[in-house]
Amino acid sequence: MTASGTFGYGTEYSQLFDIQRLGAIVCKGTTLKPREGNPQPRLVETASGVINSIGLQNIGVKALIKEKAPVWAGWRVPVIVNIAGDTVEEYGKLAKELDGVEGIRGIEVNISCPNVKAGGAAFGADANSAAAVTKAVKAATSLPIIVKLTPNAGEIAGVARAVVDAGADAVSLITSVKGMAIDIKTRRPTIGNVTGGLSGPAIKPLALALVYEVAGAVKVPVIGCGGIATAQDALEFIMAGASAVQVGRPRSAIPAPPWMSWKALRVLWKKRG
Ligand SMILES: Cc1cc2nc3c(=O)[nH]c(=O)nc-3n(C[C@H](O)[C@H](O)[C@H](O)COP(=O)(O)O)c2cc1C
């Protein structure tokens, strides 16, 4: 599968390679209202991964249902919608909106978002909040639910057990890890939002250990994610207990993901004039 936020809505890549060969596409995190995202700069390279702080820039659930779902309905590859909210109620509303929409085959619940009502700590950092979100989503939809766990939680196996008890059909992990970089010339953080999420090869050992821990704690399928760049990496995750994997931004210091051939880049270049 593609990891949320690294593959847009799938439509952007459909002319570059045969996306129907993918196991599934997980689209960009979607909120109730459209969001413009965080201040620039939002992406910085580090030695072995990128730090991003996109801030959930997205078109909002209404536009997603109107513009994207009808296209997805004609695809062989299943599309899973990643959702994000600031309150438990928002998650429930999002799930209700998506329920029964043709072209949407599942929901991935991003619980790394700050829980506005509980003072800004991530839903995923606390088993009770994570379970409350899962329950609200489960009650609002008959679609399969994947809950995406954050490595920034103290006790991830406890959170995993809580979301499964609350109705999650599968769990995916991990989202990016809180990170920071500073430009020593300007003495300022290189990310506009000061900190962001680190992803890529740097987080693979951490993700693998957490997948191993969670796979031992729950009986539902576990989807591994974090720094997977090669088939060998994917096999490591499967050996650690994952049933499937997601690939985001595989390598640092290369301008494009490996599926982008020179031919594909030329097509893009021409399109941009
Ligand atoms: C630019 C960017 C945007 C992302 N946006 C989201 C998002 O909207 N929702 C989400 O759950 N995860 C998001 N992620 C996290 C990825 O889905 C994935 O969990 C993380 O990047 C680790 O995988 P990787 O090392 O293969 O990239 C984003 C990651 C990146 C790099």
Side-chain angles (χ1 to χ4, degrees):
M1 304 177 189
T2 61
S4 174
T6 65
F7 204 69
Y9 297 97
T11 43
E12 299 88 337
Y13 289 87
S14 58
Q15 291 184 4
L16 302 181
F17 78 107
D18 183 9
I19 59 168
Q20 306 303 331
R21 292 174 60 205
L22 291 166
I25 289 171
V26 184
C27 80
K28 174 66 193 162
T30 299
T31 50
L32 274 179
K33 298 255 159 65
R35 285 198 194 179
E36 291 198 346
N38 287 336
Q40 299 281 1
R42 296 170 169 188
L43 207 60
V44 62
E45 289 279 355
T46 70
S48 56
V50 287
I51 301 177
N52 91 83
S53 170
I54 307 297
L56 288 174
Q57 179 184 2
N58 78 99
I59 59 174
V61 71
K62 289 231 153 49
L64 177 130
I65 291 169
K66 198 165 159 231
E67 295 161 23
K68 307 294 176 190
V71 180
W72 297 339
W75 289 0
R76 182 206 71 84
V77 55
V79 179
I80 296 164
V81 176
N82 179 288
I83 60 168
D86 291 329
T87 61
V88 171
E89 295 74 37
E90 273 186 36
Y91 280 98
K93 277 189 193 157
L94 276 159
K96 200 166 179 198
E97 295 264 7
L98 297 169
D99 189 48
V101 176
E102 216 190 319
I104 297 172
R105 305 274 285 276
I107 295 178
E108 183 178 63
V109 188
N110 176 3
I111 52 171
S112 310
C113 314
N115 180 349
V116 166
K117 280 196 182 158
F123 284 103
D126 170 63
N128 291 332
S129 317
V133 168
T134 310
K135 252 190 207 137
V137 173
K138 187 78 181 174
T141 181
S142 53
L143 286 165
I145 302 167
I146 304 164
V147 177
K148 187 166 182 185
L149 306 174
T150 168
N152 303 318
E155 219 271 285
I156 198 167
V159 176
R161 271 189 227 101
V163 300
V164 171
D165 289 346
D169 299 295
V171 290
S172 55
L173 64 149
I174 56 175
T175 50
S176 47
V177 183
K178 191 172 179 182
M180 183 177 181
I182 294 176
D183 179 342
I184 56 167
K185 288 203 189 87
T186 60
R187 298 177 168 230
R188 299 191 61 79
T190 43
I191 285 283
N193 209 33
V194 182
T195 62
L198 176 66
S199 61
I203 69 169
K204 198 191 101 186
L206 172 66
L208 197 61
L210 294 177
V211 162
Y212 177 70
E213 196 179 325
V214 169
V218 296
K219 294 224 155 35
V220 299
V222 173
I223 303 165
C225 176
I228 299 175
T230 63
Q232 284 85 346
D233 293 337
L235 286 173
E236 280 190 64
F237 276 80
I238 286 164
M239 287 174 184
S243 302
V245 292
Q246 294 180 349
V247 178
R249 178 104 194 309
R251 280 199 191 89
S252 241
I254 54 166
W259 51 72
M260 261 201 196
S261 64
W262 284 112
K263 197 175 144 214
L265 279 174
R266 269 207 305 274
V267 174
L268 246 190
W269 199 250
K270 265 193 186 159
K271 270 187 86 177
R272 286 190 174 176

